[in-house]
């Protein structure tokens, strides 16, 4: 036994002394809390201005992709409306799905939270709106101007439930220097031209396409880039027919898209071991000139630029999924947005903030930060110059990301898994399509 | 102390009372336990028989979730993966742990330093370990572990991307982290082996191997019981490292019961089904642990 414990044992304390001591401890423990409370009060007092009215605090939980635009706009809103303070927090998609959905289920959701457009994931607009947990935004003025083609992404049963600043496209983010060195003078406009470009880069000694298929969501992008040409260019009503059970993944151009995907692998156009390569490694390969291009979504352009020594080396072109340039369609999906909790305490203030986000200048600001194409455009809208080559498509040869029309949250992860299995040579295309059809039917 | 001034009769009464303390004393703790452990667990069991999506209404579906599990390739595949991982972890982690313990138990210089080094990975968060090991498992030739292979002239491997290798890569990572934990428990067991038994066996002319086999090993039984149980439970419920390293991929190659139940609940929004999987996992862990404990306890010897 140590000396300290011995002396404690022998110490004599009367009951009264003991209580006095405990009381003192309790006060000591409570003191910092009281002090902290005082300091918060002074803080909110200063931010709320001289009005003296208690500020409404709105909680926003978003995904990491939303941090840059949201932080800037929240700060701007503070100047417009000092009585409302928005406290944003951000987390990776997986964690947001876990925490926000649990909070939604328990009835204590944040006032504003991330919502994915359309259907097809656990945090998607359709899934949450159909449980009655999203506030109706249909009456707001920006909601009247949603382009027709995008309406399925924003609306459930004719009502608007999600705000999103615009759309992003999927295509090839490429390193201009690598292309130059390999003797490629212009981006390809047909599938066979694309294969020739890859061949040239391969001959120059670099992997033409960096693929980070260890990161699940990256697996889907090549299929998504091809399917508009192999499926929707031939049959724009494919989604409705699939929903009605008249067609399936196996009976459609999805098969061609997967065959083209594997053809790229067979010809040796990917880096070694794509299944063991992550998104970050993929990004750095292209940004540092160790690979020619990556099939990616335009929203990650900022990530690629950050890892490049000279960001201007990077540009983007639509991946041509057909041999007739007129039959090339592209995927253009509404970017991740936000909604207001229908059952929150501050629904009015939360929807007022969304209404403000819907102003053209704010749509422009958000879209610019994430290199997206603004939902609606005016003379002050800017579009990232590297996306120029996509603009001719966005009017009538673009389709939303496929998962936004899928009926449940299982099809997309199944697509991830079968692509990894295909790349590993574990399964054949027939089996992959069968698994996706089964998931669709659930 | 004031107690010592009490009459002796009262003291005796108190002492006999101390044999069965009033349940009321435990009430606050029991209440807290019931509120944070018992109630959620029982409520969870109820969800296993519903089609709850996590939000919105639910209805009872009887045993449908359990029937669905029988036809769910992914869930069944994950059971096989979970068993493979568990067996591998139990065998390798404890084997390595025992060797490390025997090593640092020997009277060698810097044994304290070595113990600290071997135990160090245990205090790192499993998710961080997984992220760090993703660098070790970089598939590019010459990077990470492949660099070591290149030095000895072996071809590089796609550690986490090759479906036939990914599971074992994860086992390697887990063993690296937890072998030190097994080592510490074995060390505690080794410290408890009386020196006089070793001396006696040496006088009897026993070799080093014989001394380990007939003196150390039987007396290590309690430490072995604890180690086997902890590593079995750890293997069966393995989640963090798998989730952070591969997310269950490539394909479904490293899907464990825990990642399946996570995905069913939080990715697919099928809380009812997920709870059913969790219930099966819990019963499975309980059954295996019980059998293990029963068997291992029976081979422990009194010192």
């Amino acid at each position: 036994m140590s000396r300290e414990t011995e002396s404690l044992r022998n110490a004599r304390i009367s009951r009264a002394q003991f209580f006095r001591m405990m009381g003192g401890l309790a006060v000591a423990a409570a003191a910092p809390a009281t002090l902290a409370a005082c300091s918060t009060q002074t803080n909110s007092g200063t931010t709320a201005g001289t009005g003296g009215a208690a500020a409404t605090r709105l909680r926003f939980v978003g995904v990491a992709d939303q941090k840059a635009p949201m932080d800037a706009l929240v700060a701007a809103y503070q100047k417009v409306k000092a009585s409302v303070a928005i406290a944003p927090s951000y987390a990776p998609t997986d964690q947001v799905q876990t925490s926000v959905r649990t909070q939604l289920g328990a009835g204590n959701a944040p006032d504003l939270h991330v919502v994915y457009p359309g259907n097809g994931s656990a945090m998607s607009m359709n899934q949450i709106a159909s449980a009655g947990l999203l506030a109706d935004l249909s009456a707001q003025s920006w909601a009247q101007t949603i382009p027709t083609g995008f309406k399925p992404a924003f609306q459930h049963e004719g009502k608007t439930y999600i705000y999103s600043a615009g759309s992003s496209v999927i295509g090839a983010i490429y390193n201009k220097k690598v292309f130059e060195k390999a003797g490629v003078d212009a981006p390809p406009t047909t599938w066979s031209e694309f294969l020739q470009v890859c061949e040239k880069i391969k001959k120059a000694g670099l992997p033409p396409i960096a693929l980070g298929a260890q990161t699940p969501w990256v697996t889907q992008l090549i299929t998504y880039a091809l399917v508009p040409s192999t499926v929707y260019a031939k049959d724009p009503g494919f989604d409705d027919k699939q929903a009605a059970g008249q067609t399936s993944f196996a009976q459609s151009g999805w098969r061609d898209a997967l065959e083209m995907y594997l053809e790229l692998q067979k010809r040796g156009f990917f880096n070694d071991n794509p299944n063991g390569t992550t998104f970050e490694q993929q990004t750095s390969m292209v940004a540092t000139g160790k690979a020619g291009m990556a099939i990616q979504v335009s929203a990650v352009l900022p990530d690629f630029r950050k890892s490049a020594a000279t960001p201007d080396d990077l540009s983007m072109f639509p991946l041509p999924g057909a041999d007739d340039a007129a039959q090339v369609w592209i995927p253009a999906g509404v970017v991740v947005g936000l909604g207001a909790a229908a059952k929150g305490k501050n629904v009015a203030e939360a929807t007022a903030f969304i209404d403000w986000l819907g102003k053209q200048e704010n749509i422009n600001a958000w879209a610019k930060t994430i290199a997206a194409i603004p939902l609606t455009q005016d003379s002050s809208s800017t579009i990232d110059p590297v996306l120029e080559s996509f603009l001719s498509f966005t009017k009538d040869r673009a389709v939303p990301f496929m998962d936004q029309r899928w009926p449940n949250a299982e099809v997309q992860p199944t697509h991830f898994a079968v692509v990894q299995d295909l790349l590993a040579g574990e399964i054949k295309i027939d089996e992959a399509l069968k698994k996706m059809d089964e998931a669709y039917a659930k | 102390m004031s107690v010592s001034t009490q009459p002796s009769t009262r003291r005796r009464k108190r002492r006999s009372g101390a044999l069965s303390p009033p349940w009321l004393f435990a009430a606050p703790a029991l209440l807290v336990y019931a509120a944070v452990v018992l109630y959620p667990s029982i409520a969870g069991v109820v969800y296993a028989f519903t089609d709850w999506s996590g939000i919105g209404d639910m209805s009872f579906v009887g045993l449908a979730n359990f029937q669905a599990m029988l036809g769910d390739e992914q869930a069944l595949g994950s059971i096989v993966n979970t068993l493979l991982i568990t067996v591998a972890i139990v065998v390798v982690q404890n084997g390595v742990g025992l060797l490390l313990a025997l090593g640092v138990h020997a009277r060698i210089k810097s044994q304290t330093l070595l113990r600290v080094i071997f135990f160090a990975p245990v205090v790192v968060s499993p998710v961080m370990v997984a992220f760090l090991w993703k660098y070790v498992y970089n598939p590019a030739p010459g990077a990470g572990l492949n660099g070591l292979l290149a030095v000895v002239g072996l071809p590089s491997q796609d550690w986490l991307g090759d479906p036939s290798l990914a599971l074992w890569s994860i086992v390697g990572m887990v063993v690296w982290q937890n072998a030190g934990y097994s080592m510490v428990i074995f060390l505690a067991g080794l410290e408890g082996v009386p020196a006089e038994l070793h001396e006696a066996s040496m006088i009897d002319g026993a070799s080093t191997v014989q001394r380990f086999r007939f003196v150390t090993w039987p007396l290590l039984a309690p430490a072995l019981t604890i180690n086997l149980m902890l590593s079995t439970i750890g293997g069966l419920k393995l989640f963090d490292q798998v989730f952070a390293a591969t997310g269950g991929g490539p394909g479904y190659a490293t899907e464990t019961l825990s990642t399946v139940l996570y995905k069913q609940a939080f990715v697919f929004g099928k809380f009812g089904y997920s709870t059913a999987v969790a219930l099966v996992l819990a019963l499975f862990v309980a059954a295996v642990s019980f059998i293990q404990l029963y068997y291992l306890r029976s081979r422990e010897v009194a010192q």
Side-chain angles (χ1 to χ4, degrees):
Chain A
M1 203 191 283
S2 76
R3 207 174 293 154
E4 286 87 352
T5 42
E6 214 162 358
S7 61
L8 274 179
R9 284 245 173 137
N10 297 333
R12 286 163 191 241
I13 302 175
S14 75
R15 188 172 292 196
Q17 271 175 325
F18 174 78
F19 280 124
R20 238 177 281 145
M21 210 167 80
M22 282 333 228
L25 280 178
V27 170
T34 334
L35 289 176
C38 290
S39 67
T40 355
Q41 262 170 0
T42 26
N43 269 351
S44 60
T46 46
T47 47
T50 48
T56 311
R57 259 177 83 82
L58 295 180
R59 214 152 55 86
F60 168 74
V61 178
V63 290
D65 309 358
Q66 296 178 307
K67 183 168 168 43
M70 195 65 182
D71 278 351
L73 287 165
V74 162
Y77 194 62
Q78 188 75 78
K79 289 188 187 120
V80 179
K81 200 165 185 182
S83 62
V84 175
I86 298 171
S89 62
Y90 308 94
T93 311
D94 296 327
Q95 286 168 32
V96 168
Q97 261 182 359
T98 324
S99 60
V100 178
R101 219 183 130 92
T102 311
Q103 290 172 359
L104 282 167
N108 56 355
D111 305 291
L112 294 157
H113 61 80
V114 58
V115 178
Y116 283 86
N119 202 343
S121 87
M123 280 303 291
S124 64
M125 182 272 299
N126 263 304
Q127 306 257 333
I128 311 174
S130 57
L133 295 171
L134 282 176
D136 184 3
L137 308 171
S138 311
Q140 303 193 349
S141 52
W142 66 271
Q144 318 309 319
T145 60
I146 300 170
T148 318
F150 285 149
K151 278 184 181 163
F154 286 81
Q155 297 180 344
H156 173 68
E157 292 172 351
K159 288 181 181 166
T160 303
Y161 291 102
I162 174 182
Y163 165 85
S164 171
S167 57
S168 52
V169 292
I170 297 174
I173 297 180
Y174 71 106
N175 191 311
K176 288 192 268 188
K177 283 208 179 125
V178 174
F179 271 48
E180 268 167 38
K181 261 185 228 157
V184 183
D185 24 80
T189 54
T190 66
W191 178 247
S192 19
E193 276 177 36
F194 178 74
L195 294 179
Q196 284 163 16
V197 166
C198 289
E199 197 60 58
K200 278 187 186 169
I201 301 171
K202 194 184 165 194
K203 283 210 179 110
L206 286 177
I209 304 170
L211 177 57
Q214 218 240 337
T215 305
W217 61 267
V218 175
T219 57
Q220 66 189 335
L221 298 170
I222 294 183
T223 341
Y224 276 24
L226 295 170
V227 161
S229 306
T230 64
V231 176
Y232 296 87
K234 293 168 188 148
D235 185 3
F238 175 78
D239 287 332
D240 295 323
K241 285 187 191 158
Q242 190 182 22
Q246 292 159 0
T247 184
S248 65
F249 291 118
Q251 294 167 322
S252 69
W254 273 84
R255 180 181 296 276
D256 305 317
L258 287 180
E259 277 166 4
M260 289 154 89
Y261 201 147
L262 291 190
E263 187 184 351
L264 295 175
Q265 187 190 31
K266 211 172 74 190
R267 289 176 179 239
F269 291 164
F270 295 144
N271 47 302
D272 288 338
N273 307 320
N275 269 346
T277 307
T278 62
F279 165 67
E280 291 76 15
Q281 289 159 349
Q282 171 191 41
T283 309
S284 114
M285 285 173 84
V286 178
T288 60
K290 291 189 184 113
M293 64 185 123
I295 312 304
Q296 266 294 355
V297 60
S298 58
V300 300
L301 268 170
D303 295 287
F304 277 71
R305 286 174 175 150
K306 250 183 271 166
S307 1
T310 40
D312 285 342
D313 288 349
L314 297 168
S315 189
M316 205 167 169
F317 65 84
L319 180 66
D323 264 331
D324 172 4
Q327 285 293 302
V328 172
W329 282 38
I330 63 153
V334 171
V335 297
V336 56
L338 63 134
K343 293 176 180 165
K345 267 183 261 168
N346 305 308
V347 186
E349 285 297 354
T351 49
F353 174 66
I354 293 183
D355 193 34
W356 179 80
L357 286 179
K359 288 186 170 193
Q360 186 62 49
E361 73 223 51
N362 298 327
I363 289 182
N364 289 345
W366 185 310
K368 194 179 174 188
T369 323
I370 55 165
I373 299 167
L375 181 69
T376 49
Q377 289 144 34
D378 67 358
S379 55
S380 64
S381 304
T382 50
I383 289 168
D384 201 299
V386 307
L387 299 181
E388 290 290 337
S389 55
F390 289 85
L391 293 178
S392 59
F393 291 90
T394 46
K395 207 166 178 199
D396 53 0
R397 285 190 290 155
V399 276
F401 296 159
M402 291 70 227
D403 51 275
Q404 295 182 2
R405 290 293 306 275
W406 287 341
N408 62 52
E410 280 190 59
V411 189
Q412 197 176 17
T414 306
H415 181 212
F416 300 163
V418 298
V419 170
Q420 286 181 334
D421 271 343
L422 285 171
L423 290 171
E426 293 281 296
I427 57 170
K428 295 267 178 291
I429 288 176
D430 280 328
E431 202 183 332
L433 293 165
K434 189 172 150 250
K435 280 191 175 165
M436 288 181 67
D437 278 324
E438 282 167 4
Y440 189 95
K442 275 185 187 172
Chain B
M1 252 187 255
S2 53
V3 175
S4 59
T5 60
Q6 299 288 335
S8 59
T9 43
R10 269 203 58 197
R11 202 193 303 168
R12 204 167 297 137
K13 238 187 212 166
R14 273 209 182 169
R15 205 175 283 158
S16 64
L19 287 175
S20 56
W23 276 97
L24 219 54
F25 282 175
L30 281 179
L31 268 178
V32 172
Y33 182 76
V36 302
V37 177
L38 289 183
Y39 171 73
S41 306
I42 293 165
V45 170
V46 174
Y47 288 134
F49 300 93
T50 69
D51 62 354
W52 194 44
S53 71
I55 50 176
D57 302 326
M58 59 174 153
S59 48
F60 278 89
V61 293
L63 291 172
N65 286 331
F66 297 92
Q67 277 163 350
M69 215 182 299
L70 290 177
D72 184 346
E73 250 179 77
Q74 217 181 315
L76 296 178
S78 75
I79 292 179
V80 175
N81 287 344
T82 308
L83 288 176
L84 287 175
I85 285 183
T86 306
V87 171
I89 287 179
V90 166
V91 172
V92 183
Q93 181 185 317
N94 291 310
V96 173
L98 181 60
L99 288 178
L100 288 177
L102 290 170
V104 299
H105 185 62
R107 297 200 176 281
I108 49 170
K109 274 186 185 174
S110 65
Q111 51 160 294
T112 316
L113 180 70
L114 285 174
R115 288 178 191 193
V116 171
I117 290 175
F118 293 142
F119 189 72
V122 178
V123 300
V124 184
S125 125
V127 176
M128 287 315 299
V129 167
F131 283 133
L132 292 174
W133 273 76
K134 273 177 126 171
Y135 288 94
V136 177
Y137 285 146
N138 186 335
L145 201 51
N146 280 340
L148 281 182
L149 289 188
V151 170
V152 291
L154 289 169
S156 54
Q157 299 292 329
D158 187 5
W159 300 102
L160 292 170
D162 180 347
S164 56
L165 191 61
L167 200 66
W168 309 117
S169 300
I170 289 175
V171 169
M173 191 162 85
V174 175
V175 167
W176 176 83
Q177 174 164 36
N178 293 342
Y181 195 70
S182 300
M183 175 194 79
V184 166
I185 295 172
F186 279 129
L187 261 181
L190 286 174
E191 306 281 356
V193 179
E196 55 267 29
L197 285 183
H198 277 298
E199 279 166 22
S201 60
M202 274 161 93
I203 293 166
D204 289 346
S207 69
T208 317
V209 177
Q210 281 173 323
R211 268 191 289 138
F212 174 76
R213 172 67 190 85
F214 297 107
V215 179
T216 313
W217 183 242
L219 290 176
L220 268 185
L224 186 71
T225 306
I226 295 173
N227 263 334
L228 287 185
M229 269 200 52
L230 289 179
S231 53
T232 306
I233 294 171
L236 288 175
K237 70 179 179 62
L238 191 67
F239 176 79
D240 320 34
Q241 289 96 332
V242 180
F243 189 71
T246 64
Y252 303 106
T254 56
E255 210 81 77
T256 66
L257 270 176
S258 297
T259 61
V260 164
L261 75 89
Y262 167 83
K263 281 186 187 173
Q264 289 293 345
F266 297 108
V267 181
F268 303 163
K270 289 181 164 179
F271 277 74
Y273 183 68
S274 167
T275 317
V277 176
L279 193 61
V280 168
L281 174 65
L283 291 176
F284 196 62
V285 172
V288 170
S289 312
F290 183 78
I291 295 168
Q292 219 179 26
L293 188 65
Y294 184 78
Y295 169 73
L296 289 170
R297 272 284 147 89
S298 69
R299 66 175 284 281
E300 284 178 17
V301 288
Q303 284 190 18

